[in-house]
Amino acid sequence: MVDTASSVDEHKSLMDDPGQRGRFGRFGGLYVPETLVPACQELEHAFRDAWSDPSFRAELDELLGNYAGRPSPMTECRNLSAELGMRVLLKREDLNHTGSHKINNVLGQTLLAKRMGKTRIVAETGAGQHGVATATAAAFFGQDCVVYMGEVDVRRQALNVFRMRLLGAEVRSALSGSRTLKDAVNEAMRDWVSSVESTYYCLGSVMGPHPYPWMVREFHRVLGQEAFDQCRELLDGGVPDVVVAAVGGGSNAIGIFSGFVDTEAELVGVEPAGGSAVGRGLVGVVHGSMSYLMQDEYGQVQEAQSVSAGLDYPGVGPEHAHLADIGRARYEPVTDREVLDAFELLARTEGIIPALEPAHGLAWMVRCRDELAGKTVLLNLSGRGDKDVAQVQAILDGDPEALETVDFGEAGNGHQ
Ligand SMILES: *Cc1c(COP(=O)(O)O)cnc(C)c1O
């Protein structure tokens, strides 16, 4: 195996193999207790082997087509384009099975688990969307599934807990720390290390120790490749001026960026103002890798705060930190108020109710409509909004409890 992390080759993609050390510039790596190192190495070997095996790729492609519903369409938004004065294209990941991009990664990882002879899947979930996607794939493959979820989130996301149970998964409350997503990640890792012979840890975004950020990116490449091909067709061989995606951990963004990173297109990741890890620009280690991270002056990890539970992650995937560092992508914060307006705007103009996460991307486009005038802008519509309509209704009705989840503060200036 060759460590390509530091080799310079002009013909290589900006999104290449991060090598055995799993480095994206100064970010990434493998910062885990010694007991977890062999498990991560076993996983890296298994993934390298599978990813270079045409039969694995063919089986995954078949599942993505006939189970998940790929390829997802690209929609040209004529009404919204007229309203905003730019040409808006949407990559429709909302139309996948389970309603978001998450199924791409989860089918890849559970198929890999099967190939590795692992019969039990563990996962972490915050808002519940990754847990539901993992429980779905585990049901499909007949695997046992345990999903760790912070106790606070178990109460907040009762419907997704019920969905996971319907799908045959066991949901375990994480009772440590702040009893939210970061605690669920810790408990899932603890479970994995204590039962690694039979257990596979299905991580939900481009974060965690090597090889996860790289592997999860590879499983989401399909959406970027499709979008690239669809744009070439629609734009007479061209690419959009700007590609926009919401960033939580960063998996849907890295997926769509992967299709355009080696082109002229500008790449923009949009973070919630209350969870702007790149915007604060502080480097730290959490959950096994080095990246930008929300932390206080003592290095303690801070809770992210956003109307969208799916973006409530204090860190960002290490490859995004690197793309920000080298200036290839920029990361911009938007406020919850802007997001709610964008959510309504897409529903009203195009008949598409988006998830609150991709509504962040649209919110940035609305704010920057002058800068973007006349340009072609591709937004990754990472998920559908069915999961969010009850919450938005409560907020618009002025329900005090729902309003508590909304941060009406002003967005700061973006980093890069
Ligand atoms: C989970 C989720 C996200 C955030 O996760 P990333 O890894 O940043 O993509 C964004 N959009 C939707 C619809 C999600 O379900």
Short mmCIF file of all heavy atoms in Angstrom, two decimals, residues 100-162:
data_model
loop_
_atom_site.label_atom_id
_atom_site.label_comp_id
_atom_site.label_asym_id
_atom_site.label_seq_id
_atom_site.Cartn_x
_atom_site.Cartn_y
_atom_site.Cartn_z
N SER A 100 -33.55 10.60 1.84
CA SER A 100 -32.36 11.46 1.83
C SER A 100 -31.19 10.72 1.19
O SER A 100 -31.31 9.57 0.78
CB SER A 100 -31.97 11.88 3.26
OG SER A 100 -31.24 10.85 3.91
N HIS A 101 -30.04 11.42 1.15
CA HIS A 101 -28.81 10.83 0.63
C HIS A 101 -28.28 9.72 1.51
O HIS A 101 -27.44 8.94 1.09
CB HIS A 101 -27.75 11.93 0.50
CG HIS A 101 -27.30 12.47 1.83
ND1 HIS A 101 -28.12 13.21 2.65
CD2 HIS A 101 -26.13 12.33 2.51
CE1 HIS A 101 -27.48 13.51 3.76
NE2 HIS A 101 -26.26 12.99 3.70
N LYS A 102 -28.71 9.64 2.77
CA LYS A 102 -28.07 8.75 3.73
C LYS A 102 -28.06 7.29 3.29
O LYS A 102 -27.16 6.53 3.67
CB LYS A 102 -28.74 8.89 5.10
CG LYS A 102 -28.40 10.19 5.80
CD LYS A 102 -28.77 10.16 7.27
CE LYS A 102 -28.18 11.31 8.04
NZ LYS A 102 -28.80 12.62 7.73
N ILE A 103 -29.02 6.88 2.50
CA ILE A 103 -29.12 5.48 2.09
C ILE A 103 -27.89 5.04 1.27
O ILE A 103 -27.50 3.87 1.32
CB ILE A 103 -30.45 5.24 1.31
CG1 ILE A 103 -30.77 3.75 1.18
CG2 ILE A 103 -30.43 5.91 -0.06
CD1 ILE A 103 -31.34 3.12 2.40
N ASN A 104 -27.25 5.96 0.55
CA ASN A 104 -26.07 5.59 -0.27
C ASN A 104 -24.97 5.00 0.61
O ASN A 104 -24.40 3.94 0.31
CB ASN A 104 -25.48 6.83 -0.96
CG ASN A 104 -26.48 7.59 -1.78
OD1 ASN A 104 -27.38 7.01 -2.37
ND2 ASN A 104 -26.33 8.91 -1.81
N ASN A 105 -24.67 5.70 1.68
CA ASN A 105 -23.61 5.30 2.60
C ASN A 105 -23.99 4.02 3.35
O ASN A 105 -23.18 3.10 3.50
CB ASN A 105 -23.37 6.46 3.59
CG ASN A 105 -22.49 6.08 4.76
OD1 ASN A 105 -21.48 5.41 4.60
ND2 ASN A 105 -22.89 6.50 5.95
N VAL A 106 -25.24 3.98 3.80
CA VAL A 106 -25.67 2.88 4.64
C VAL A 106 -25.73 1.56 3.85
O VAL A 106 -25.35 0.51 4.37
CB VAL A 106 -27.03 3.29 5.26
CG1 VAL A 106 -27.86 2.11 5.60
CG2 VAL A 106 -26.79 4.19 6.47
N LEU A 107 -26.17 1.62 2.62
CA LEU A 107 -26.17 0.39 1.81
C LEU A 107 -24.74 -0.07 1.55
O LEU A 107 -24.44 -1.27 1.61
CB LEU A 107 -26.90 0.61 0.48
CG LEU A 107 -28.42 0.60 0.53
CD1 LEU A 107 -29.01 0.92 -0.85
CD2 LEU A 107 -28.98 -0.74 1.03
N GLY A 108 -23.84 0.89 1.30
CA GLY A 108 -22.44 0.52 1.08
C GLY A 108 -21.84 -0.16 2.30
O GLY A 108 -21.21 -1.21 2.20
N GLN A 109 -22.06 0.44 3.47
CA GLN A 109 -21.45 -0.10 4.68
C GLN A 109 -22.07 -1.43 5.12
O GLN A 109 -21.36 -2.32 5.58
CB GLN A 109 -21.52 0.91 5.83
CG GLN A 109 -20.60 2.10 5.62
CD GLN A 109 -20.30 2.82 6.92
OE1 GLN A 109 -19.86 2.21 7.89
NE2 GLN A 109 -20.55 4.12 6.95
N THR A 110 -23.37 -1.58 4.99
CA THR A 110 -23.98 -2.85 5.42
C THR A 110 -23.62 -3.97 4.45
O THR A 110 -23.47 -5.13 4.86
CB THR A 110 -25.51 -2.73 5.60
OG1 THR A 110 -26.06 -2.09 4.45
CG2 THR A 110 -25.87 -1.94 6.84
N LEU A 111 -23.46 -3.62 3.17
CA LEU A 111 -23.00 -4.64 2.22
C LEU A 111 -21.55 -5.05 2.55
O LEU A 111 -21.19 -6.23 2.48
CB LEU A 111 -23.09 -4.11 0.78
CG LEU A 111 -22.73 -5.10 -0.32
CD1 LEU A 111 -23.70 -6.28 -0.35
CD2 LEU A 111 -22.72 -4.41 -1.70
N LEU A 112 -20.75 -4.07 2.96
CA LEU A 112 -19.37 -4.37 3.37
C LEU A 112 -19.37 -5.25 4.63
O LEU A 112 -18.58 -6.20 4.74
CB LEU A 112 -18.61 -3.06 3.63
CG LEU A 112 -17.16 -3.18 4.05
CD1 LEU A 112 -16.32 -3.88 2.98
CD2 LEU A 112 -16.57 -1.79 4.35
N ALA A 113 -20.26 -4.94 5.57
CA ALA A 113 -20.36 -5.76 6.79
C ALA A 113 -20.66 -7.21 6.45
O ALA A 113 -20.06 -8.14 7.00
CB ALA A 113 -21.46 -5.19 7.70
N LYS A 114 -21.57 -7.40 5.51
CA LYS A 114 -21.94 -8.76 5.09
C LYS A 114 -20.71 -9.47 4.50
O LYS A 114 -20.42 -10.62 4.83
CB LYS A 114 -23.05 -8.66 4.03
CG LYS A 114 -23.56 -9.99 3.54
CD LYS A 114 -24.67 -9.80 2.51
CE LYS A 114 -24.56 -10.85 1.44
NZ LYS A 114 -25.11 -10.46 0.16
N ARG A 115 -19.97 -8.74 3.67
CA ARG A 115 -18.77 -9.32 3.06
C ARG A 115 -17.71 -9.67 4.11
O ARG A 115 -16.97 -10.63 3.96
CB ARG A 115 -18.21 -8.29 2.06
CG ARG A 115 -16.97 -8.70 1.31
CD ARG A 115 -16.55 -7.51 0.44
NE ARG A 115 -15.24 -7.67 -0.14
CZ ARG A 115 -15.02 -8.01 -1.42
NH1 ARG A 115 -16.02 -8.24 -2.24
NH2 ARG A 115 -13.78 -8.13 -1.86
N MET A 116 -17.66 -8.88 5.20
CA MET A 116 -16.70 -9.13 6.28
C MET A 116 -17.17 -10.22 7.24
O MET A 116 -16.47 -10.55 8.20
CB MET A 116 -16.46 -7.83 7.07
CG MET A 116 -15.75 -6.74 6.27
SD MET A 116 -15.70 -5.14 7.17
CE MET A 116 -14.40 -5.46 8.39
N GLY A 117 -18.37 -10.74 7.02
CA GLY A 117 -18.89 -11.80 7.90
C GLY A 117 -19.43 -11.28 9.22
O GLY A 117 -19.58 -12.04 10.18
N LYS A 118 -19.73 -9.99 9.30
CA LYS A 118 -20.28 -9.42 10.54
C LYS A 118 -21.81 -9.50 10.47
O LYS A 118 -22.41 -9.13 9.46
CB LYS A 118 -19.86 -7.95 10.70
CG LYS A 118 -18.39 -7.70 10.43
CD LYS A 118 -17.56 -7.73 11.67
CE LYS A 118 -16.09 -7.50 11.30
NZ LYS A 118 -15.19 -7.56 12.43
N THR A 119 -22.39 -9.96 11.55
CA THR A 119 -23.84 -10.20 11.54
C THR A 119 -24.61 -9.17 12.36
O THR A 119 -25.83 -9.20 12.42
CB THR A 119 -24.15 -11.59 12.12
OG1 THR A 119 -23.54 -11.65 13.42
CG2 THR A 119 -23.58 -12.68 11.23
N ARG A 120 -23.87 -8.28 13.02
CA ARG A 120 -24.51 -7.31 13.91
C ARG A 120 -24.00 -5.92 13.56
O ARG A 120 -22.81 -5.70 13.39
CB ARG A 120 -24.14 -7.67 15.35
CG ARG A 120 -24.72 -6.79 16.42
CD ARG A 120 -24.42 -7.39 17.81
NE ARG A 120 -24.86 -6.50 18.87
CZ ARG A 120 -24.10 -5.54 19.39
NH1 ARG A 120 -22.86 -5.36 18.98
NH2 ARG A 120 -24.59 -4.77 20.33
N ILE A 121 -24.95 -4.97 13.43
CA ILE A 121 -24.62 -3.60 13.06
C ILE A 121 -24.90 -2.69 14.26
O ILE A 121 -25.99 -2.77 14.85
CB ILE A 121 -25.49 -3.11 11.88
CG1 ILE A 121 -25.47 -4.09 10.71
CG2 ILE A 121 -25.11 -1.69 11.45
CD1 ILE A 121 -24.15 -4.20 9.99
N VAL A 122 -23.94 -1.82 14.61
CA VAL A 122 -24.25 -0.75 15.56
C VAL A 122 -24.11 0.59 14.85
O VAL A 122 -23.33 0.73 13.91
CB VAL A 122 -23.36 -0.75 16.84
CG1 VAL A 122 -23.58 -2.00 17.66
CG2 VAL A 122 -21.89 -0.58 16.48
N ALA A 123 -24.91 1.55 15.28
CA ALA A 123 -24.85 2.89 14.69
C ALA A 123 -25.20 3.90 15.78
O ALA A 123 -25.78 3.56 16.80
CB ALA A 123 -25.83 3.01 13.54
N GLU A 124 -24.82 5.16 15.50
CA GLU A 124 -25.22 6.28 16.36
C GLU A 124 -26.23 7.09 15.57
O GLU A 124 -26.23 7.08 14.35
CB GLU A 124 -24.02 7.15 16.70
CG GLU A 124 -23.64 8.19 15.64
CD GLU A 124 -23.14 7.61 14.32
OE1 GLU A 124 -22.64 6.46 14.33
OE2 GLU A 124 -23.27 8.29 13.28
N THR A 125 -27.10 7.80 16.28
CA THR A 125 -27.96 8.73 15.55
C THR A 125 -28.31 9.91 16.43
O THR A 125 -28.37 9.78 17.65
CB THR A 125 -29.22 8.01 15.02
OG1 THR A 125 -29.81 8.78 13.97
CG2 THR A 125 -30.24 7.77 16.12
N GLY A 126 -28.50 11.09 15.81
CA GLY A 126 -28.89 12.28 16.55
C GLY A 126 -30.37 12.52 16.35
O GLY A 126 -31.20 12.16 17.17
N ALA A 127 -30.70 13.07 15.20
CA ALA A 127 -32.10 13.32 14.89
C ALA A 127 -32.85 12.02 14.59
O ALA A 127 -34.08 12.00 14.56
CB ALA A 127 -32.20 14.26 13.69
N GLY A 128 -32.12 10.96 14.31
CA GLY A 128 -32.77 9.68 14.04
C GLY A 128 -32.72 9.27 12.58
O GLY A 128 -33.01 8.12 12.26
N GLN A 129 -32.32 10.20 11.70
CA GLN A 129 -32.36 9.86 10.26
C GLN A 129 -31.34 8.79 9.89
O GLN A 129 -31.65 7.88 9.12
CB GLN A 129 -32.11 11.12 9.42
CG GLN A 129 -33.14 12.20 9.59
CD GLN A 129 -34.53 11.72 9.28
OE1 GLN A 129 -35.39 11.64 10.17
NE2 GLN A 129 -34.77 11.37 8.05
N HIS A 130 -30.13 8.88 10.41
CA HIS A 130 -29.13 7.85 10.11
C HIS A 130 -29.52 6.53 10.77
O HIS A 130 -29.31 5.46 10.19
CB HIS A 130 -27.74 8.29 10.57
CG HIS A 130 -26.69 7.22 10.41
ND1 HIS A 130 -26.38 6.68 9.18
CD2 HIS A 130 -25.93 6.56 11.32
CE1 HIS A 130 -25.44 5.74 9.35
NE2 HIS A 130 -25.16 5.65 10.63
N GLY A 131 -30.11 6.60 11.94
CA GLY A 131 -30.58 5.38 12.61
C GLY A 131 -31.65 4.68 11.79
O GLY A 131 -31.63 3.45 11.62
N VAL A 132 -32.57 5.45 11.24
CA VAL A 132 -33.64 4.86 10.43
C VAL A 132 -33.05 4.25 9.15
O VAL A 132 -33.40 3.13 8.76
CB VAL A 132 -34.72 5.91 10.08
CG1 VAL A 132 -35.69 5.38 9.03
CG2 VAL A 132 -35.49 6.31 11.34
N ALA A 133 -32.14 4.96 8.51
CA ALA A 133 -31.53 4.43 7.29
C ALA A 133 -30.76 3.14 7.59
O ALA A 133 -30.84 2.16 6.84
CB ALA A 133 -30.61 5.47 6.66
N THR A 134 -30.02 3.12 8.71
CA THR A 134 -29.25 1.92 9.07
C THR A 134 -30.18 0.76 9.40
O THR A 134 -29.94 -0.39 8.98
CB THR A 134 -28.32 2.22 10.26
OG1 THR A 134 -27.49 3.32 9.93
CG2 THR A 134 -27.44 1.02 10.59
N ALA A 135 -31.23 1.04 10.17
CA ALA A 135 -32.20 -0.01 10.51
C ALA A 135 -32.85 -0.56 9.25
O ALA A 135 -33.13 -1.77 9.14
CB ALA A 135 -33.25 0.54 11.47
N THR A 136 -33.08 0.29 8.27
CA THR A 136 -33.67 -0.12 7.00
C THR A 136 -32.76 -1.13 6.29
O THR A 136 -33.20 -2.21 5.88
CB THR A 136 -33.86 1.11 6.09
OG1 THR A 136 -34.77 2.01 6.73
CG2 THR A 136 -34.38 0.73 4.72
N ALA A 137 -31.48 -0.75 6.15
CA ALA A 137 -30.54 -1.62 5.43
C ALA A 137 -30.31 -2.92 6.20
O ALA A 137 -30.20 -4.00 5.61
CB ALA A 137 -29.22 -0.89 5.21
N ALA A 138 -30.25 -2.84 7.54
CA ALA A 138 -30.05 -4.05 8.35
C ALA A 138 -31.24 -5.00 8.18
O ALA A 138 -31.06 -6.22 8.11
CB ALA A 138 -29.84 -3.68 9.81
N ALA A 139 -32.44 -4.44 8.12
CA ALA A 139 -33.62 -5.28 7.89
C ALA A 139 -33.50 -5.98 6.53
O ALA A 139 -33.75 -7.18 6.40
CB ALA A 139 -34.89 -4.44 7.94
N PHE A 140 -33.07 -5.22 5.55
CA PHE A 140 -32.92 -5.76 4.19
C PHE A 140 -31.94 -6.93 4.16
O PHE A 140 -32.17 -7.95 3.53
CB PHE A 140 -32.48 -4.65 3.24
CG PHE A 140 -32.25 -5.11 1.84
CD1 PHE A 140 -33.32 -5.26 0.95
CD2 PHE A 140 -30.97 -5.43 1.39
CE1 PHE A 140 -33.10 -5.70 -0.34
CE2 PHE A 140 -30.75 -5.87 0.10
CZ PHE A 140 -31.82 -6.01 -0.77
N PHE A 141 -30.81 -6.77 4.87
CA PHE A 141 -29.78 -7.81 4.87
C PHE A 141 -29.98 -8.87 5.95
O PHE A 141 -29.19 -9.81 6.05
CB PHE A 141 -28.39 -7.19 5.05
CG PHE A 141 -27.87 -6.50 3.82
CD1 PHE A 141 -27.69 -5.14 3.79
CD2 PHE A 141 -27.55 -7.23 2.68
CE1 PHE A 141 -27.21 -4.50 2.66
CE2 PHE A 141 -27.06 -6.61 1.54
CZ PHE A 141 -26.90 -5.24 1.53
N GLY A 142 -31.00 -8.71 6.80
CA GLY A 142 -31.21 -9.68 7.87
C GLY A 142 -30.17 -9.60 8.97
O GLY A 142 -29.84 -10.61 9.60
N GLN A 143 -29.62 -8.40 9.21
CA GLN A 143 -28.60 -8.23 10.25
C GLN A 143 -29.26 -7.72 11.54
O GLN A 143 -30.23 -6.96 11.48
CB GLN A 143 -27.55 -7.20 9.78
CG GLN A 143 -26.73 -7.68 8.59
CD GLN A 143 -26.17 -6.54 7.74
OE1 GLN A 143 -26.72 -5.45 7.68
NE2 GLN A 143 -25.07 -6.83 7.03
N ASP A 144 -28.70 -8.10 12.71
CA ASP A 144 -29.13 -7.51 13.97
C ASP A 144 -28.68 -6.06 13.99
O ASP A 144 -27.60 -5.75 13.47
CB ASP A 144 -28.50 -8.23 15.17
CG ASP A 144 -29.01 -9.66 15.29
OD1 ASP A 144 -30.15 -9.92 14.85
OD2 ASP A 144 -28.26 -10.51 15.81
N CYS A 145 -29.47 -5.20 14.60
CA CYS A 145 -29.12 -3.78 14.56
C CYS A 145 -29.40 -3.11 15.90
O CYS A 145 -30.50 -3.24 16.45
CB CYS A 145 -29.95 -3.11 13.45
SG CYS A 145 -29.60 -1.36 13.24
N VAL A 146 -28.38 -2.44 16.44
CA VAL A 146 -28.52 -1.66 17.67
C VAL A 146 -28.17 -0.22 17.36
O VAL A 146 -27.09 0.06 16.82
CB VAL A 146 -27.59 -2.20 18.78
CG1 VAL A 146 -27.65 -1.28 20.01
CG2 VAL A 146 -27.98 -3.62 19.16
N VAL A 147 -29.06 0.70 17.68
CA VAL A 147 -28.81 2.12 17.41
C VAL A 147 -28.72 2.88 18.73
O VAL A 147 -29.63 2.81 19.56
CB VAL A 147 -29.93 2.73 16.54
CG1 VAL A 147 -29.66 4.22 16.30
CG2 VAL A 147 -30.05 1.99 15.22
N TYR A 148 -27.59 3.57 18.93
CA TYR A 148 -27.40 4.40 20.12
C TYR A 148 -27.88 5.81 19.84
O TYR A 148 -27.58 6.39 18.79
CB TYR A 148 -25.92 4.43 20.52
CG TYR A 148 -25.48 3.11 21.11
CD1 TYR A 148 -24.99 2.10 20.29
CD2 TYR A 148 -25.62 2.86 22.47
CE1 TYR A 148 -24.62 0.87 20.81
CE2 TYR A 148 -25.25 1.63 23.00
CZ TYR A 148 -24.75 0.65 22.18
OH TYR A 148 -24.39 -0.56 22.70
N MET A 149 -28.62 6.32 20.80
CA MET A 149 -29.21 7.65 20.64
C MET A 149 -29.20 8.32 22.01
O MET A 149 -29.54 7.68 23.00
CB MET A 149 -30.64 7.44 20.14
CG MET A 149 -31.34 8.64 19.62
SD MET A 149 -32.87 8.10 18.79
CE MET A 149 -33.40 9.64 18.10
N GLY A 150 -28.78 9.58 22.06
CA GLY A 150 -28.79 10.29 23.35
C GLY A 150 -30.19 10.27 23.94
O GLY A 150 -31.18 10.37 23.23
N GLU A 151 -30.25 10.17 25.26
CA GLU A 151 -31.56 10.07 25.91
C GLU A 151 -32.44 11.28 25.59
O GLU A 151 -33.65 11.15 25.41
CB GLU A 151 -31.35 9.96 27.43
CG GLU A 151 -32.59 9.47 28.15
CD GLU A 151 -32.63 9.95 29.58
OE1 GLU A 151 -31.81 10.81 29.97
OE2 GLU A 151 -33.51 9.47 30.31
N VAL A 152 -31.80 12.44 25.49
CA VAL A 152 -32.55 13.66 25.17
C VAL A 152 -33.18 13.52 23.78
O VAL A 152 -34.34 13.87 23.56
CB VAL A 152 -31.60 14.88 25.22
CG1 VAL A 152 -32.28 16.13 24.68
CG2 VAL A 152 -31.12 15.10 26.65
N ASP A 153 -32.39 12.98 22.83
CA ASP A 153 -32.89 12.82 21.46
C ASP A 153 -33.98 11.75 21.37
O ASP A 153 -34.89 11.85 20.55
CB ASP A 153 -31.74 12.48 20.50
CG ASP A 153 -30.77 13.65 20.35
OD1 ASP A 153 -31.24 14.80 20.40
OD2 ASP A 153 -29.57 13.40 20.17
N VAL A 154 -33.86 10.70 22.18
CA VAL A 154 -34.89 9.65 22.19
C VAL A 154 -36.26 10.27 22.49
O VAL A 154 -37.26 9.93 21.86
CB VAL A 154 -34.56 8.54 23.22
CG1 VAL A 154 -35.75 7.61 23.43
CG2 VAL A 154 -33.34 7.75 22.77
N ARG A 155 -36.25 11.22 23.42
CA ARG A 155 -37.52 11.87 23.77
C ARG A 155 -37.96 12.83 22.66
O ARG A 155 -39.13 12.87 22.30
CB ARG A 155 -37.38 12.61 25.11
CG ARG A 155 -37.63 11.66 26.29
CD ARG A 155 -37.70 12.41 27.62
NE ARG A 155 -36.36 12.73 28.11
CZ ARG A 155 -35.88 13.95 28.26
NH1 ARG A 155 -36.62 15.00 27.96
NH2 ARG A 155 -34.65 14.14 28.71
N ARG A 156 -36.99 13.58 22.10
CA ARG A 156 -37.35 14.57 21.07
C ARG A 156 -37.79 13.94 19.75
O ARG A 156 -38.52 14.54 18.98
CB ARG A 156 -36.14 15.48 20.78
CG ARG A 156 -35.92 16.55 21.80
CD ARG A 156 -35.01 17.63 21.26
NE ARG A 156 -33.65 17.15 21.03
CZ ARG A 156 -32.55 17.89 21.20
NH1 ARG A 156 -32.66 19.13 21.59
NH2 ARG A 156 -31.35 17.40 20.97
N GLN A 157 -37.27 12.75 19.45
CA GLN A 157 -37.47 12.15 18.12
C GLN A 157 -38.27 10.86 18.24
O GLN A 157 -37.89 9.83 17.66
CB GLN A 157 -36.13 11.88 17.46
CG GLN A 157 -35.19 13.08 17.42
CD GLN A 157 -35.67 14.13 16.43
OE1 GLN A 157 -36.44 13.83 15.51
NE2 GLN A 157 -35.23 15.36 16.61
N ALA A 158 -39.38 10.92 18.96
CA ALA A 158 -40.13 9.70 19.27
C ALA A 158 -40.57 8.94 18.00
O ALA A 158 -40.56 7.71 17.96
CB ALA A 158 -41.34 10.05 20.12
N LEU A 159 -40.92 9.68 16.97
CA LEU A 159 -41.42 9.02 15.76
C LEU A 159 -40.31 8.21 15.07
O LEU A 159 -40.55 7.09 14.59
CB LEU A 159 -41.96 10.09 14.79
CG LEU A 159 -42.95 9.59 13.74
CD1 LEU A 159 -44.11 8.84 14.36
CD2 LEU A 159 -43.46 10.77 12.92
N ASN A 160 -39.11 8.75 15.04
CA ASN A 160 -38.00 7.99 14.44
C ASN A 160 -37.61 6.79 15.30
O ASN A 160 -37.21 5.75 14.77
CB ASN A 160 -36.78 8.89 14.20
CG ASN A 160 -36.89 9.62 12.86
OD1 ASN A 160 -37.61 9.17 11.97
ND2 ASN A 160 -36.20 10.73 12.73
N VAL A 161 -37.75 6.91 16.61
CA VAL A 161 -37.49 5.76 17.49
C VAL A 161 -38.49 4.64 17.15
O VAL A 161 -38.12 3.48 17.00
CB VAL A 161 -37.61 6.16 18.98
CG1 VAL A 161 -37.55 4.94 19.88
CG2 VAL A 161 -36.51 7.16 19.33
N PHE A 162 -39.74 5.02 16.97
CA PHE A 162 -40.76 4.03 16.60
C PHE A 162 -40.45 3.41 15.24
O PHE A 162 -40.57 2.20 15.05
CB PHE A 162 -42.15 4.68 16.60
CG PHE A 162 -43.25 3.73 16.21
CD1 PHE A 162 -43.54 2.62 16.99
CD2 PHE A 162 -43.98 3.93 15.04
CE1 PHE A 162 -44.55 1.72 16.63
CE2 PHE A 162 -44.99 3.05 14.67
CZ PHE A 162 -45.27 1.95 15.47
#
